[in-house]
Amino acid sequence: EIVLTQSPGTLSLSPGERATLFCRASQSISGSYLAWYQQKPGQAPRLLMYGASNRATGIPDRFSGSGSGTDFTVTISRLEPEDFAVYYCHQCGSPPWTFGQGTKVEIK
Amino acid sequence: QVQLQESGPGLVKPSQTLSLTCTVSGGSITSGSYYWSWIRQPAGKGLEWIGRTYTSGSTNYNPSLKSRVTISVDTSKNQFSLNLSSVTAADTAVYFCARVCPPVSCHYYYIDVWGKGTTVIVSS
């Protein structure tokens, strides 16, 4: 099983600041199989990035993704109020599919 | 636009079987080469993949649940279902159904559509 470890667990930032979220895999995975989701309280997750670096439909360009092998990153260039949420990375490459434990981006 | 809706009992007794259905609307469950998946999330915790099915009936399950899980598809009703047997309090969670876009259709692998989720509590 591929374990995804996200860091930090919580990110306390102010609107307008830059956020960088990390996801490390226990073994190398293809970027084609790495996705990120955003989840707000009481809601289902929403696709944010797929193929490690492709923004999903409707995701603003302040979000960017990168990485390969075992290390992947999502950056939010300038936090907007609606960006405060929990973010999960997810790999579909090797069953069982797994999720990271999440990074909470909270208002400082 | 495809939408997914979970349905089923919100309360299940310990040792019984949890049964949920996901209804696909806005498109046929057989169109495209999508996988159909179940994911759960205990309150305040992260996401756990339960398993997936294809419209052919082929399935893959999380090994941690494999002995208790069955996912099936009913193309005539445009639905797929989850059965989880011998439940305990540890199975209390929000259960999501989801559509998975595979490389053959989408060039990448990702979950592109989620249901809103349904809460299942295991308690006597």
Side-chain angles (χ1 to χ4, degrees):
Chain A
E1 174 176 323
I2 297 177
V3 177
L4 299 178
T5 302
Q6 291 187 240
S7 61
T10 301
L11 207 47
S12 298
L13 295 168
S14 301
E17 289 194 293
R18 182 185 187 91
T20 303
L21 288 63
F22 300 94
C23 176
R24 172 162 286 177
S26 59
Q27 56 187 275
S28 182
I29 58 176
S30 168
S32 296
Y33 302 150
L34 194 287
W36 291 87
Y37 303 89
Q38 176 194 69
Q39 188 179 33
K40 296 180 179 179
Q43 296 183 15
R46 176 175 76 143
L47 178 66
L48 188 73
M49 310 287 300
Y50 62 92
S53 59
N54 301 279
R55 281 188 301 276
T57 302
I59 301 300
D61 61 7
R62 63 179 179 273
F63 289 89
S64 62
S66 64
S68 63
T70 59
D71 294 298
F72 300 88
T73 301
V74 158
T75 299
I76 311 171
S77 59
R78 292 179 311 279
L79 282 163
E80 296 288 341
E82 61 268 28
D83 300 335
F84 292 92
V86 180
Y87 293 82
Y88 294 96
C89 58
H90 171 53
Q91 68 83 20
C92 303
S94 176
W97 296 345
T98 50
F99 293 88
Q101 82 279 19
T103 290
K104 182 179 183 179
V105 179
E106 64 176 23
I107 299 176
K108 186 175 181 181
Chain B
Q1 182 179 351
V2 170
Q3 294 183 312
L4 307 179
Q5 179 66 60
E6 305 88 350
S7 60
L11 180 64
V12 181
K13 289 182 166 52
S15 80
Q16 293 190 341
T17 296
L18 178 162
S19 296
L20 297 174
T21 297
C22 182
T23 300
V24 180
S25 61
S28 172
I29 198 170
T30 58
S31 66
S33 299
Y34 299 104
Y35 286 98
W36 304 93
S37 190
W38 287 95
I39 294 147
R40 70 180 183 179
Q41 184 173 38
K45 296 188 177 181
L47 300 162
E48 179 182 30
W49 178 70
I50 298 171
R52 70 177 190 191
T53 188
Y54 190 60
T55 50
S56 65
S58 67
T59 54
N60 291 94
Y61 300 130
N62 190 324
S64 68
L65 299 169
K66 188 174 182 179
S67 63
R68 299 193 292 131
V69 172
T70 302
I71 296 175
S72 59
V73 63
D74 187 336
T75 56
S76 67
K77 294 182 178 179
N78 230 33
Q79 295 175 334
F80 62 105
S81 299
L82 167 69
N83 279 348
L84 181 65
S85 63
S86 305
V87 297
T88 69
D91 296 309
T92 294
V94 176
Y95 285 76
F96 297 100
C97 60
R99 186 178 81 169
V100 182
C101 211
V104 66
S105 299
C106 304
H107 303 293
Y108 301 96
Y109 229 146
Y110 54 91
I111 298 169
D112 65 338
V113 182
W114 295 74
K116 293 184 178 180
T118 188
T119 298
V120 178
I121 297 171
V122 178
S123 175
S124 55

